[in-house]
Amino acid sequence: MKLKNPKDFWSGVMFMAIGLAFAIVVKVFEYPMGTSSRMGPGYFPFVLGIVMTLLGVAIIIESMATQGEPVSKFAWRPLAFILGAVVIFGLIVKVAGMAASIIVLVLVSAFGGHEFKLKEVLIAGVILAVFSVLVFVYGLKLPFPIWPSFISG
Amino acid sequence: MKSTARRMTVVAAGLWVAASLFGAGVVHAAYPDKPVKYIIPFAPGGESDIAARFQQIVFKKKYGQEMIIESKPGAGGALAWTLTNTFPGDGYTWMSTNLPHIVLQPLEGQVQYKTEDLANVCFYHYTPDAIVVRSESPFKTYQELVKAAKDSPGKVSIAGSGTNSANHLATERFNGVAGVKTTYVPFKGTGDLVASLLGGHVDLAMSYVTLAIAQKGKTRVLAVATEKRHPQFPDTPTFKELGIDWVDGAYRGVALPKSAPAELKKQVSDICLDINKDADFQKRMAEGGFELVDVGVDKMPGFMAERTKVYIENAKRMGLTK
Amino acid sequence: MEQLLSNLALGFGVALTLNNLLYCLVGCLLGTLIGVLPGIGPIATIAMLLPATFTLPPESSLIMLAGIYYGAQYGGSTTAILVNLPGESSSVVTALDGYQMARQGRAGVALSVAALGSFFAGCVATFLLAAAAPPLAQIAFKFGPAEYFSLMILGLIAAVVLAHGSVIKAIGMILLGLLLGLVGTDVNSGMARFSFGIPELTDGIGFVAIAMGVFGFAEIIKNLEQGEAREVFTNKVTSLWPTKQDIKDAFPAVLRGTFLGSLLGILPGGGAVLGSFSAYTLEKKIAKDASKFGKGDIRGVAAPESANNAAAQTSFIPLLTLGIPPNPVMALMVGAMIIQGIQPGPQVMTERPQLFWGMIVSMWIGNLMLVILNLPLIGMWIKLLKVPYRLLYPAILVFCCIGVYSLSNSPFDVLMTALFGFIGYVFVKLDCEPAPLLLGFILGPMMEENLRRAMLLSRGDPMTFVTRPLSASLLAISLLLLIIIFLPAIRKKREEAFQEE
């Protein structure tokens, strides 16, 4: 079967799946439902989850009746490098310090672009690192270490 | 002013000498000789934060060191309390703790610390429980309130901050001592419930004296849980006068990581109680509605045992079993 | 009136001292700075500055802290317009049309309209604050849990209008936002939901993590996907200043935005947020040609920007007249006042008139300073867009990461932002617009809390929502709005169906 409106079809699937997931979690983890006068923590999310599931089904049905564009391919390269760079930054900043982490972040994220000129990227990284240390650590006094912990001790 | 300052210096110097004599040969003799980090497990601007900032001023004045207040709010305090013992026990990290939170949360069973994990060295003040109604409320006295609650069970609505919180506990305690059934309506925080209280959407608030001070003129206090009548509300009876044994509220104190040596715990406890003696501090705290108490490390085991007993008794009524 | 004039004179006397002018300026500058930097909000900044304000007189310290707050509102819209990064809930809406204007080379116009609209709104709202604070405060009392719930319903329905694509998908996004907002500790039972034993999740997912993920990061990935061949921003930058036509379009929108924002700002909890997007909704609904919204319509910037600035000023009304902090920043201001030995509440106005009026006048002066500061800065911001995108996006990432990390000083929020970046990219692929999701996310927990509170108070009788007049009228407006939204959609569908035949 060929999908007539893939974008809407998959949106519907997404809403249905997430709605179901929330409703199932309420049931599996046994969040109390309570009564309508004294609603338990499970009441509102369960109802919302079911409503969203139904809405997802409605969108799927609608997608069968309408024409729409196909879902374009995922651009894995920028996706991986951008989000990867962010994750690495989050994990290393406490140990590596702000300066080094920023340079790593800039380097890795730059791989996600189309051109990569090492010299240009390095210069940008250093400028950003110096600027950030001045503004955030000295100016706004955010509690970031500047240098890697093995240097500053 | 000048003489106070001089007296402070003398006290500080005396303490210094005493401390160094007492702990002669111990590494911490000169404690504190660098800034102390004071972690507040609640958002800035709340009671814990404000009280700590009053302490901060006196600490700097008396001990010449900075006290750096770091707020680490989350999970009703549990986020920070879970981390307490991961800090070095060198006395340079203080953790602000609150009763009944640190007893109730582990009872409830969703947090990852136990009450015993927190080495409390002092409790320095409490905010007394108070029953507050808006000025237009039909309830003029505590007795009228009890009568109305008895006549129509479940109809009187009581606003409070949070679930399984100090306010919730106090509401259940009220239900118990008055022999009534009321509806507890939890709000996100004290600031959150004020509009509903003043707008008459709830009948009363089970809160602290601090709320009544902030809303003076728009509210009436029916009873306060202090030893003696509160100076700012001379016409309001205490629960004791009403024949109820109820002197309670939210207590705030300081805990150290468990690894801290006993003499260091004593030193921090002494500092904490010493700050309580500062005249300026006393004035500021009184104006804010904070009642000072001096529970040092020596009195701690007895105090905690007594408090825990009261909390567990009332917690059963809240449905917190175990 | 005479009373008002003498009060204002007293206020000017306090606010115009050299010291207080200086603190006002410092506050505005700092506020603009942290507003422009994504992720770093006024809460962290004010908390950090509290000890420094101990030694200042109460007037100066509060003037400065207030400056940080409304300065941050100004600065927040700059990032929303330039790089599609709403750092605060109120600038989500600004990003919709503002960023599109920037891509068309009209960033300068968007920024200057935002600044001028904000200034106008700030003046009006400050005047309201001075002239009618106590009676206005009464509005807050009329709102009980039932009324709040109905207001949230109205807000959610209005949020559907934010999307310019499919209505049904917009509703899906709102529901998704509502559900995400429920992650964390349930206020009513104290139980942790959907947190799966992760302590950081017991306080819920951070707004900033979601906003930066689905708006900022997803936008960057999308832009990189389209390639350098298609420049993200056109090189042809039109004039920095709005044309006559722009002003003609924007001015009525500013007026309406100011009105809505001032009114909703008074409501504690959610008021300010509702202000900016209900202003947007109103503009889109009354516009003769609504098709330009979401594609760079100047009214889509002017209305929400004036609304959020007006709301930022009027949110001081519950604080100063009732002692009720309507949002976390105001709660912090309460703390600052108590530390200074002032009990915030109705007595401030009578017992400390110089503080009360000084602060109000300083707000107006602060707004003036902000406009003077920001207009020349626009030229500089525009130049920033001339930086090649391959160098601009790593810089955006750096500022985002630092801001997000500093929220709790732990990697957790950074990882969450990355996760939402991925989710946001999926949304882009499926043509699901994220703005309604964010509003659902903000309103969800408040809606549930008030629903449950109202039902507790009515002892399980849902009629409470229609028997209370204010709540009933809010629900009636919601229903009307729902009809207005759905009618064109149905009509269009039928037309399409006919065309196919």
Side-chain angles (χ1 to χ4, degrees), chain C residues 344-487:
Chain C
Q347 66 282 2
V348 173
M349 209 185 312
T350 45
E351 284 172 17
R352 317 278 301 233
Q354 73 284 21
L355 174 84
F356 183 86
W357 295 104
M359 220 170 127
I360 287 178
V361 171
S362 89
M363 283 183 203
W364 183 78
I365 296 176
N367 271 293
L368 186 66
M369 283 180 182
L370 280 169
V371 121
I372 297 173
L373 275 173
N374 276 283
L375 287 181
L377 279 181
I378 291 175
M380 193 191 92
W381 295 128
I382 303 296
K383 287 221 180 64
L384 215 59
L385 293 183
K386 290 235 168 87
V387 175
Y389 198 67
R390 64 172 191 280
L391 295 177
L392 184 61
Y393 80 82
I396 298 173
L397 285 176
V398 166
F399 294 132
C400 284
C401 284
I402 292 173
V404 173
Y405 189 89
S406 70
L407 289 177
S408 62
N409 288 313
S410 78
F412 183 79
D413 287 304
V414 180
L415 301 185
M416 282 304 274
T417 315
L419 175 68
F420 276 100
F422 178 75
I423 296 174
Y425 184 65
V426 174
F427 289 160
V428 170
K429 287 283 162 190
L430 297 177
D431 274 347
C432 290
E433 289 164 64
L437 173 120
L438 277 174
L439 293 158
F441 175 78
I442 299 163
L443 298 182
M446 287 193 262
M447 186 166 158
E448 187 200 15
E449 256 170 56
N450 284 298
L451 169 68
R452 288 167 69 174
R453 226 172 260 152
M455 293 299 265
L456 256 179
L457 290 171
S458 76
R459 302 213 269 167
D461 182 8
M463 290 307 282
T464 182
F465 297 108
V466 286
T467 48
R468 300 173 66 102
L470 186 54
S471 162
S473 15
L474 286 167
L475 285 179
I477 301 173
S478 317
L479 193 67
L480 193 74
L481 190 61
L482 203 62
I483 294 169
I484 298 178
I485 293 169
F486 268 103
L487 269 186

Side-chain angles (χ1 to χ4, degrees), chain C residues 181-496:
Chain C
L182 297 182
V183 173
T185 306
D186 164 36
V187 175
N188 282 262
S189 66
M191 186 176 175
R193 293 180 295 185
F194 308 107
S195 63
F196 311 109
I198 302 167
E200 282 87 353
L201 273 185
T202 51
D203 278 326
I205 305 168
F207 169 79
V208 174
I210 296 194
M212 293 209 174
V214 299
F215 270 88
F217 288 7
E219 177 69 28
I220 291 176
I221 300 168
K222 190 174 100 186
N223 286 336
L224 289 180
E225 175 181 4
Q226 287 165 350
E228 294 276 316
R230 231 178 96 195
E231 265 296 327
V232 176
F233 301 99
T234 62
N235 286 320
K236 189 180 95 244
V237 175
T238 59
S239 140
L240 297 187
W241 302 101
T243 60
K244 252 194 195 134
Q245 184 60 38
D246 286 334
I247 291 171
K248 223 179 110 198
D249 288 340
F251 189 66
V254 167
L255 277 182
R256 289 185 287 261
T258 304
F259 173 76
L260 266 177
S262 309
L263 202 66
L264 287 165
I266 298 164
L267 296 176
V273 188
L274 286 172
S276 67
F277 81 88
S278 55
Y280 186 90
T281 304
L282 181 70
E283 288 312 310
K284 196 169 167 185
K285 274 295 132 194
I286 61 171
K288 282 200 193 78
D289 172 27
S291 63
K292 269 172 66 200
F293 278 87
K295 292 170 193 154
D297 193 305
I298 197 160
R299 289 167 294 182
V301 175
E305 267 309 299
S306 7
N308 85 40
N309 207 46
Q313 310 287 323
T314 56
S315 64
F316 278 88
I317 290 181
L319 176 75
L320 290 173
T321 57
L322 307 171
I324 300 172
N327 57 42
V329 182
M330 290 293 142
L332 204 50
M333 296 283 288
V334 169
M337 286 167 105
I338 294 177
I339 287 166
Q340 290 279 1
I342 302 158
Q343 269 299 334
Q347 66 282 2
V348 173
M349 209 185 312
T350 45
E351 284 172 17
R352 317 278 301 233
Q354 73 284 21
L355 174 84
F356 183 86
W357 295 104
M359 220 170 127
I360 287 178
V361 171
S362 89
M363 283 183 203
W364 183 78
I365 296 176
N367 271 293
L368 186 66
M369 283 180 182
L370 280 169
V371 121
I372 297 173
L373 275 173
N374 276 283
L375 287 181
L377 279 181
I378 291 175
M380 193 191 92
W381 295 128
I382 303 296
K383 287 221 180 64
L384 215 59
L385 293 183
K386 290 235 168 87
V387 175
Y389 198 67
R390 64 172 191 280
L391 295 177
L392 184 61
Y393 80 82
I396 298 173
L397 285 176
V398 166
F399 294 132
C400 284
C401 284
I402 292 173
V404 173
Y405 189 89
S406 70
L407 289 177
S408 62
N409 288 313
S410 78
F412 183 79
D413 287 304
V414 180
L415 301 185
M416 282 304 274
T417 315
L419 175 68
F420 276 100
F422 178 75
I423 296 174
Y425 184 65
V426 174
F427 289 160
V428 170
K429 287 283 162 190
L430 297 177
D431 274 347
C432 290
E433 289 164 64
L437 173 120
L438 277 174
L439 293 158
F441 175 78
I442 299 163
L443 298 182
M446 287 193 262
M447 186 166 158
E448 187 200 15
E449 256 170 56
N450 284 298
L451 169 68
R452 288 167 69 174
R453 226 172 260 152
M455 293 299 265
L456 256 179
L457 290 171
S458 76
R459 302 213 269 167
D461 182 8
M463 290 307 282
T464 182
F465 297 108
V466 286
T467 48
R468 300 173 66 102
L470 186 54
S471 162
S473 15
L474 286 167
L475 285 179
I477 301 173
S478 317
L479 193 67
L480 193 74
L481 190 61
L482 203 62
I483 294 169
I484 298 178
I485 293 169
F486 268 103
L487 269 186
I490 296 167
R491 208 181 301 135
K492 206 191 277 163
K493 193 125 304 138
R494 282 179 54 197
E495 276 163 19
E496 276 168 16

